[in-house]
Amino acid sequence: MNTLTAQIKKDLKTHTMGHTIHELDQVSSTNDWALTKANQGAEEGTVVIAAEQSAGKGRMGRHWFSPRGHNLYMSIILRPEIKANQLSRLTLVAGAAVSEALGQLTQKEIFLKWPNDLIFNDRKIGGILSEASVTGTQTTSVIIGIGINIDTNDFPEELHPVAGSLSDILEETVERSQVAAFILNYFESWYDQFMNGTWNNVVQWYDSHHILKDCLVELTSGEKSYRGLVQGIDDEGGLILKLDSGETRHFQEGDAERISHAARD
Ligand code: BTN
């Protein structure tokens, strides 16, 4: 067994997640690799971790900065028996789980920015990309890809104002294996609860950890931009905005940027 895998397993308290771990040195994207494995029949809970990604993917077709080092690039294969229209809920389940895991690890509050950016001190320290294979209305597999900046401080110029690392929060270095084990432990617990029918606690978690709560935001969705007050998360995992026009609208995808804390400013 590889060292990283052994270290993760030592801290795992799960019954499924991470029982099989594929540890790679370099890969284009752990999500793509995991999807191939899933198509070959890999079991639920199978995990792929790479030391470096040459074509790491972010949401909305963006690139995910994935240098070699101690950052975490991890994908989890799921086989949830859910309808395709429940998938965005699952994405938020992952966001809640990772924010709780990192919060416990750092003993700081880690915020979420819808749908699932992980934020500390107004900087993005991690992100989640979920991708699904769907047959008809049924989901065949879901890949939950998690990227956490552990100790990067050489971000490309354009990321300087917005990106951060766990090392900005913690005084001591944290091992990649520890971060992975924490996330897998919390993820399994949130996922099991979700599959057993609990969705309300995810909505509540977002309500109390959402960095955009009660904020005036500009949301870009497709070619269009909208300005509105964040009202919360809906039952589909969408963002509810009260637009300047007075209309309340639900968005299932997009990027929201804060304009002001409307409730406070
Ligand atoms: C985002 O915030 O835009 C999502 C970033 C997700 C990055 C992770 S790193 C591991 C996995 N493999 C990928 O190619 N992307 C995800």
Side-chain angles (χ1 to χ4, degrees):
M1 202 186 293
N2 294 327
T3 332
L4 178 74
T5 302
Q7 282 167 348
I8 296 172
K9 290 202 170 178
K10 171 173 71 60
D11 294 332
L12 276 188
K13 299 185 185 101
T14 57
H15 52 78
T16 313
M17 301 297 154
H19 282 213
T20 302
I21 299 178
H22 297 277
E23 191 183 325
L24 310 175
D25 186 54
Q26 211 233 29
V27 71
S28 54
S29 154
T30 55
N31 266 31
D32 291 349
W33 203 91
L35 190 60
T36 306
K37 271 278 164 206
N39 290 340
Q40 291 165 356
E43 285 180 1
E44 173 154 277
T46 301
V47 165
V48 183
I49 299 182
E52 168 181 12
Q53 299 184 116
S54 56
K57 302 188 292 183
R59 282 177 58 239
M60 315 195 47
R62 295 193 190 110
H63 171 68
W64 185 255
F65 181 58
S66 311
R68 178 171 291 271
H70 295 110
N71 293 340
L72 181 67
Y73 314 116
M74 171 165 88
S75 298
I76 310 169
I77 297 175
L78 302 178
R79 299 208 175 269
E81 289 188 7
I82 56 172
K83 299 262 184 251
N85 63 6
Q86 299 273 291
L87 281 169
S88 37
R89 285 189 174 191
L90 190 51
T91 304
L92 297 210
V93 170
V98 178
S99 82
E100 187 177 20
L102 296 183
Q104 288 297 324
L105 182 71
T106 58
Q107 291 299 300
K108 303 274 185 209
E109 186 165 9
I110 306 297
F111 289 93
L112 285 153
K113 180 154 94 82
W114 179 85
N116 43 23
D117 288 355
L118 295 144
I119 308 285
F120 180 76
N121 256 354
D122 268 339
R123 286 175 179 270
K124 178 162 170 172
I125 58 168
I128 298 171
L129 175 69
S130 34
E131 298 183 283
S133 292
V134 173
T135 311
T137 57
Q138 209 57 42
T139 309
T140 334
S141 64
V142 177
I143 310 299
I144 303 286
I146 301 167
I148 308 293
N149 301 328
I150 297 184
D151 64 356
T152 299
N153 43 31
D154 57 349
F155 290 109
E157 188 116 0
E158 68 276 15
L159 296 181
H160 277 179
V162 288
S165 281
L166 279 184
S167 56
D168 306 338
I169 313 175
L170 293 163
E171 280 167 15
E172 287 166 19
T173 321
V174 64
E175 293 300 325
R176 198 159 44 127
S177 60
Q178 251 182 302
V179 181
F182 257 80
I183 290 177
L184 291 169
N185 288 335
Y186 279 92
F187 178 72
E188 182 169 283
S189 158
W190 279 89
Y191 178 62
D192 284 354
Q193 287 181 57
F194 172 65
M195 292 309 290
N196 288 328
T198 319
W199 163 246
N200 271 355
N201 54 356
V202 180
V203 176
Q204 275 165 20
W205 186 271
Y206 268 76
D207 216 38
S208 53
H209 293 82
H210 194 200
I211 195 104
L212 299 178
K213 184 177 159 67
D214 297 331
C215 287
L216 182 64
V217 299
E218 174 155 312
L219 180 129
T220 313
S221 183
E223 302 281 282
K224 291 195 169 163
S225 288
Y226 304 83
R227 230 175 83 114
L229 261 181
V230 172
Q231 308 284 285
I233 303 293
D234 71 14
D235 253 3
E236 306 299 321
L239 186 71
I240 312 170
L241 289 190
K242 183 160 189 205
L243 302 181
D244 284 352
S245 61
E247 179 199 355
T248 299
R249 202 152 155 179
H250 296 228
F251 292 88
Q252 296 311 318
E253 60 166 35
D255 262 328
E257 289 308 326
R258 184 166 59 205
I259 299 172
S260 65
H261 288 281
R264 281 164 260 162
D265 296 352

